[in-house]
């Protein structure tokens, strides 16, 4: 019931992440970091959770601001707030 907009580049070395539907997690194929569906780091070489874009409701739609990317380690409060409850 929550909507996030992520950067799908692994925070470790920017390798494109892949969704693993069997385990319901994002995975980095290069160094095997794993992330929950809401982008929180589970395990691996990454040192932070997935980066999140700012999102907002725009009438009946959702807007994603690609110029506002929040890192968990740099902007923890903005990173935590970067979602929309559905």
């Amino acid at each position: 019931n929550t909507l996030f907009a992520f950067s799908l580049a692994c925070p470790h070395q920017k390798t494109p992440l892949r969704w693993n539907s069997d385990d319901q997690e994002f995975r980095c194929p290069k160094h095997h970091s794993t992330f929950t569906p809401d982008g929180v780091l589970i395990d691996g070489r990454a040192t932070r959770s997935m980066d999140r874009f700012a999102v907002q409701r725009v009438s009946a739609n959702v807007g994603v601001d690609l110029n506002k990317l929040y890192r968990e380690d740099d902007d923890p409060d903005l990173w935590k707030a970067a979602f929309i409850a559905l």
Side-chain angles (χ1 to χ4, degrees), residues 25-73:
E25 64 189 16
F26 291 98
R27 286 190 186 164
C28 178
K30 188 170 184 179
H31 293 117
H32 312 292
S33 292
T34 55
F35 305 86
T36 64
D38 58 348
V40 175
L41 176 65
I42 298 170
D43 191 29
R45 287 195 185 176
T47 58
R48 67 178 190 273
S49 297
M50 294 169 63
D51 299 336
R52 294 178 179 173
F53 289 103
V55 292
Q56 63 181 357
R57 289 188 190 276
V58 181
S59 298
N61 299 306
V62 172
V64 177
D65 188 340
L66 299 178
N67 294 313
K68 292 183 181 176
L69 184 65
Y70 303 124
R71 290 176 41 157
E72 180 186 37
D73 56 347

Side-chain angles (χ1 to χ4, degrees), residues 7 24 45 79:
S7 167
Q24 295 290 296
R45 287 195 185 176
W79 184 86

